[in-house]
């Protein structure tokens, strides 16, 4: 590998030889230790740092988007078409949607009483309501 | 459901309609979907919609996911990048806000200001790249994927990915250099 080839590779893959394609690394490591190679990598590393800048996504924001997804799925599921546990005897199956609805109502009332008011819906609580509605357990969400 | 159950196993459950497994996947990867969408689409507002649509696709298409061919995250990157590129191509996409605003506050050390200014210049240059070059830069540099993984996420060959990456980096450098010269020239004129 010549220093020009090394420079071109650094301009492509950046200043960290360990992130270059595996077959190139052994030769590149040797050149990286030379004064010319060190300077090439240092120049590219500065750009790498700026390009690696990551937008901060808060947990709250991610939860809000997740809630919107669940809401859209729930909206697209006709009432009474929720999945019924296979273990439920067929004569009791009609109870499942009714029990699911009753659980939602109870949960909604208790949340309204217990939780402080906020303009935006509390994402964790609403997700909890969705999951109870769909027959899953609240403990699976690890909520406080 | 085990706390550390692999993503790929969870997708299998999602294919069977398991909302708890789906919730676990969103808990793990919604942040990834939003930040990649934000960088590639160049808009925070669009990013939330893209991430939402991406997970709806995970829900509806989980049955088509093949764990023997790719990891779940590679599949998710692919969905998000494709949606973000499509969004970006729409003529009326929102103003670029990736560079963000600098909030007024106490004076900061010169070094911090210079570094921040450099990052803003790079952000602006990245936001101006063609969508596929930007996606290549985001997947490789921001997400830390290898060339092979990023190429798989974009459904292109490693050679094609290399070409996108080198053109992307070169364009960012050229834009930053041009900006430096403009700023330097303006200073000299004073």
């Amino acid at each position: 590998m010549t220093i020009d080839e090394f420079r071109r590779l650094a301009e492509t893959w950046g200043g960290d030889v360990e992130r270059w394609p595996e077959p190139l690394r052994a030769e590149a490591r040797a050149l990286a230790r030379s004064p010319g190679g060190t300077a090439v990598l240092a120049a590219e590393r500065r750009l790498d740092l700026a390009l690696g800048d990551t937008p901060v996504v808060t947990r709250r924001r991610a939860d809000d988007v997740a809630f919107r997804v669940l809401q859209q799925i729930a909206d697209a599921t006709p009432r009474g078409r929720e999945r019924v546990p296979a273990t439920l005897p067929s004569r009791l199956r009609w109870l499942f949607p009714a029990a699911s609805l009753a659980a939602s109502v109870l949960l909604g009332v208790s949340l309204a009483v217990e939780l402080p008011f906020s303009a935006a819906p509390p994402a964790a609580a609403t997700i909890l309501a969705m999951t109870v509605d769909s027959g899953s357990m609240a403990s699976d969400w690890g909520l406080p | 459901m085990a706390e550390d159950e692999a993503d790929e196993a969870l997708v299998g459950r999602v294919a069977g309609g398991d909302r708890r497994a789906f919730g676990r996947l969103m808990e793990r990867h919604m942040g990834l979907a939003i930040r990649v969408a934000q960088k590639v689409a160049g808009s925070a507002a669009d990013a939330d919609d893209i991430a939402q649509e991406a997970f709806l696709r995970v829900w509806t298409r989980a049955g088509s996911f093949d764990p023997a061919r790719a990891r779940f995250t590679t599949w998710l990157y692919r969905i998000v990048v494709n949606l973000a590129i499509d969004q970006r191509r729409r003529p009326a996409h929102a103003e670029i806000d990736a560079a963000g605003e600098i909030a007024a506050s106490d004076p900061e050390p010169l070094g911090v200001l210079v570094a921040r200014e450099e990052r803003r210049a790079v952000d602006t240059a990245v936001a101006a790249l063609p969508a596929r070059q930007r996606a290549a830069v985001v997947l490789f540099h921001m997400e830390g994927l290898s060339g092979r993984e990023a190429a798989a996420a974009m459904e292109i060959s490693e050679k094609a990915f290399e070409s996108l990456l080198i053109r992307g980096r070169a364009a960012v450098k050229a834009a930053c250099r041009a900006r430096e010269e403009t700023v330097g020239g303006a200073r000299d004129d004073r």
Side-chain angles (χ1 to χ4, degrees), chain A residues 19 44 46 68 72, chain B residues 49 52 118 145 169 173:
Chain A
R19 298 210 58 212
E44 297 300 330
R46 194 167 166 180
R68 278 162 46 187
Q72 214 169 330
Chain B
D49 293 341
Q52 182 181 343
E118 263 182 23
L145 268 59
R169 285 180 67 100
K173 273 190 209 168

Side-chain angles (χ1 to χ4, degrees), chain A residues 13-57:
Chain A
W13 301 107
D16 180 1
V17 169
E18 300 311 314
R19 298 210 58 212
W20 293 15
E22 208 281 326
L24 303 167
R25 284 181 212 158
E27 269 191 278
R29 282 187 198 116
L31 262 172
R33 286 190 287 270
S34 71
T38 304
V40 166
L41 294 180
E44 297 300 330
R45 214 171 285 135
R46 194 167 166 180
L47 180 61
D48 294 350
L49 270 178
L51 289 174
D53 212 13
T54 308
V56 175
V57 177

